Amino acid sequence: EEAAAIDKYFSIVHKTAEFLFPIFLALKMLLPETAFKFCTEWLFDRQLGIFKQTTNQVLETITNNRKLMGVLSYHYGDYGEVPNRGAFVMNALIANHYRGGAYYPVGGPLKISESIVRLIEKCGGKVLVRSAVDSILIDDRNRACGVVVNGREILAKSIVSSVGAPATLTKLVPESHRRTLVGRQIDAMKHPDVSSNVSLMTMFVGINDADGTLDLPKRNDWIHASWDHDGNMAEHRKDCGNKMPAFFISFSSAKDPTYASRHPGKHVALVIGPCCYDDVERFKDDRVKHRSDEYAAMKDKWREVFMGVLLDRYPELRDKVDFVDFGTAVTNDYYLGTHRGAVYGLAHTPKRFGQHWLRAKTPIKQLYLTGQDVVCCGIFGALTGGYMCAYAMSPRSLFHTLSLWI
C-alpha cells in the first residue's frame, strides 16, 4: 500500500544526490561567496530549494505513515541530526550511497592514513605525530604565515586546517585577530542550527574466537528505541544517561578479509551511541586516563548499558569478551581533535547548507579549511572538501584532475 510513496522517495533521493548536490558543489567551488549566495538564494532557488528542507518536511510530502517515515530516516545517526532538524540532502546522500552496498579498506582503516602519508612524503612533505598545533601565525598584513607546534614556529606560504571550522577559527586563530578577521564566521557558528547538536560515545570490544565458532555479520546494525526518532531523541535529552535513542553496532573484523590472518582467533566490535557533551564537559581538562572517580563511574554505567545492547543482539558473545574500552565526548576531543566531541563537525541542517561563507577559502589570506566542514561529514564529504580546498588554493588542479579522467 506504500509502494508509490517508497518509489517517490527513491526518485527524490536519486535526483538530489546525483543531480542537485553536484550542482550545489560546483557553484560553491567555482563562485565567490556573493555570487554563490545569489545563485542558491535567487537564481536557482526553485531547483535547489530542497537544501532548505528538513528530512521530515520532505517525507511529509510523500506519506503520512509515521512508521514508514521512521524507516526511511533510520540512518539519521550517520550524520547526527534527527529528521525534524536534519537536512534532507544528507538523508538522500547516505541513502543513495548505500543502495549498492558499501566498501571497507582491506587491511583496516589504517591503510587509508598509510596511503595518504606515503603520498605526502613522496611529494616532499612530512607528517608529524604527537605534535598538536597550538596556534596559527598571522603576520602584520593579516596573512597566515605558519603555525606554532609544541612551542616551535614553523613557517609556510599557506596553511590548511582539517580540524574543522570551530576549532580553527575559535582556537587556532590568535584571539587578537578573531574579532576583526573572522568575527562574522564565529558568530554564525554560534547559531543553534549551525553548531553541532550531537556527540557520540563509543565502546570498543575485543572478542576471543579461539575455537572459530563465531560467524559475525559484515553488515552494520542500527537499533532504535522506536521509529519515532525525534521523540526518542527528545526523551534522551531529558535523561542522557539512561534513555538512549539509538545504537550502532559493527564488526570491522568481519569486513576485512585479512583480519583473520593478521589476528587469528580474534574479533573486534564497535558499539556507538549518542553522548550529551554537557554531561562530561566538567571533566574535559582532567588528565587523560586519570580523570575523576565520578567520571569513571559514569563510564562504567554507560558501558554496562552498551554491553547489554550488544549481548542482547549477539548472545553468542556472552562468554567471549576479552577486552572493553569506552570513550565519551571528551575522549573524542583528545584523540580526534574534535570541538565539544562533535565527530560530525558542524550541524547538518538546512541552516548549515545556507552558510555561504563556509568554504575552503577563509577571510584570512593563505588560510584554508579542508575536510568535512567544507562539504559534509563522512569519507566522501571529507574527500570532496579536500578537493575543493585544492581548487581554492590552485584552480589549475581542477583541469589537471579532469585531464586524468579524460
Side-chain angles (χ1 to χ4, degrees):
E1 62 188 45
E2 293 290 346
I6 295 171
D7 288 342
K8 185 175 181 180
Y9 167 76
F10 281 109
S11 175
I12 296 173
V13 162
H14 180 79
K15 179 182 177 180
T16 302
E18 300 287 345
F19 179 65
L20 297 178
F21 192 69
I23 291 176
F24 180 85
L25 289 184
L27 294 174
K28 185 173 187 176
M29 182 171 70
L30 298 173
L31 299 179
E33 180 181 341
T34 303
F36 175 58
K37 181 177 182 179
F38 173 76
C39 285
T40 55
E41 296 289 336
W42 298 97
L43 190 60
F44 300 118
D45 177 62
R46 183 169 172 231
Q47 293 86 347
L48 298 178
I50 202 162
F51 282 80
K52 301 177 182 179
Q53 294 182 282
T54 66
T55 298
N56 270 354
Q57 286 174 329
V58 173
L59 293 182
E60 285 169 353
T61 68
I62 297 172
T63 180
N64 58 9
N65 185 318
R66 307 308 293 185
K67 181 178 179 180
L68 179 60
M69 291 174 64
V71 172
L72 296 178
S73 58
Y74 84 93
H75 52 289
Y76 79 88
D78 281 323
Y79 53 98
E81 301 292 349
V82 290
N84 70 355
R85 173 179 157 89
F88 175 77
V89 64
M90 289 304 301
N91 174 288
L93 287 174
I94 293 171
N96 191 67
H97 173 79
Y98 282 117
R99 285 187 73 179
Y103 297 90
Y104 190 84
V106 175
L110 180 62
K111 293 298 179 180
I112 298 176
S113 56
E114 286 180 349
S115 299
I116 294 172
V117 169
R118 280 198 299 270
L119 182 58
I120 291 173
E121 293 179 339
K122 180 180 178 180
C123 295
K126 185 176 291 186
V127 177
L128 307 179
V129 297
R130 298 183 182 275
S131 303
V133 173
D134 301 316
S135 66
I136 295 170
L137 295 171
I138 308 291
D139 66 17
D140 55 6
R141 296 171 64 182
N142 291 331
R143 301 176 304 181
C145 59
V147 294
V148 178
V149 179
N150 295 334
R152 176 186 173 188
E153 292 187 356
I154 301 177
L155 303 181
K157 293 181 180 180
S158 298
I159 308 300
V160 178
S161 175
S162 64
V163 297
T168 301
L169 303 183
T170 67
K171 295 180 180 178
L172 298 185
V173 172
E175 187 173 2
S176 56
H177 293 75
R178 289 175 197 163
R179 182 46 50 187
T180 55
L181 298 182
V182 290
R184 177 171 68 94
Q185 290 73 18
I186 291 175
D187 288 342
M189 290 188 293
K190 293 178 181 178
H191 192 286
D193 287 338
V194 177
S195 62
S196 176
N197 192 41
V198 68
S199 180
L200 302 174
M201 46 189 172
T202 307
M203 183 175 71
F204 305 90
V205 183
I207 299 166
N208 187 339
D209 186 29
D211 55 7
T213 59
L214 292 177
D215 183 22
L216 298 175
K218 295 180 180 180
R219 69 173 186 272
N220 299 325
D221 290 342
W222 278 107
I223 303 171
H224 298 282
S226 75
W227 290 119
D228 179 10
H229 306 308
D230 299 295
N232 296 339
M233 185 61 75
E235 288 300 310
H236 170 66
R237 296 292 182 191
K238 296 176 184 177
D239 186 359
C240 291
N242 292 316
K243 298 180 179 180
M244 293 292 176
F247 292 93
F248 172 89
I249 299 177
S250 180
F251 299 96
S252 55
S253 53
K255 297 179 174 68
D256 182 4
T258 71
Y259 193 90
S261 61
R262 293 186 293 114
H263 305 285
K266 301 291 184 182
H267 274 290
V268 290
L270 188 71
V271 184
I272 302 176
C275 178
C276 294
Y277 187 79
D278 291 344
D279 283 354
V280 295
E281 183 176 14
R282 60 187 180 277
F283 308 111
K284 65 183 178 65
D285 296 323
D286 293 351
R287 183 182 169 193
V288 175
K289 301 292 185 182
H290 294 82
R291 291 192 170 103
S292 70
D293 292 341
E294 181 187 2
Y295 179 73
M298 292 174 67
K299 286 178 58 176
D300 288 342
K301 178 182 176 181
W302 288 327
R303 183 188 294 114
E304 185 176 341
V305 173
F306 278 50
M307 184 59 71
V309 171
L310 176 64
L311 297 181
D312 182 63
R313 187 76 169 182
Y314 296 96
E316 64 269 33
L317 302 180
R318 190 167 301 278
D319 298 320
K320 292 181 176 289
V321 173
D322 273 354
F323 170 84
V324 180
D325 201 1
F326 199 89
T328 70
V330 292
T331 313
N332 299 337
D333 283 353
Y334 181 80
Y335 289 103
L336 303 179
T338 55
H339 178 69
R340 293 180 63 83
V343 296
Y344 294 136
L346 292 172
H348 289 77
T349 61
K351 185 75 173 179
R352 178 251 178 83
F353 286 102
Q355 300 302 298
H356 305 98
W357 62 268
L358 192 56
R359 50 184 51 232
K361 191 174 183 179
T362 74
I364 301 174
K365 293 180 179 179
Q366 300 169 189
L367 174 62
Y368 301 87
L369 298 176
T370 188
Q372 58 186 10
D373 276 350
V374 176
V375 179
C376 63
C377 65
I379 293 290
F380 166 79
L383 178 66
T384 308
Y387 181 74
M388 295 179 73
C389 178
Y391 175 79
M393 298 178 72
S394 176
R396 289 180 298 177
S397 62
L398 171 66
F399 303 103
H400 175 67
T401 303
L402 289 177
S403 68
L404 293 177
W405 287 347
I406 297 173

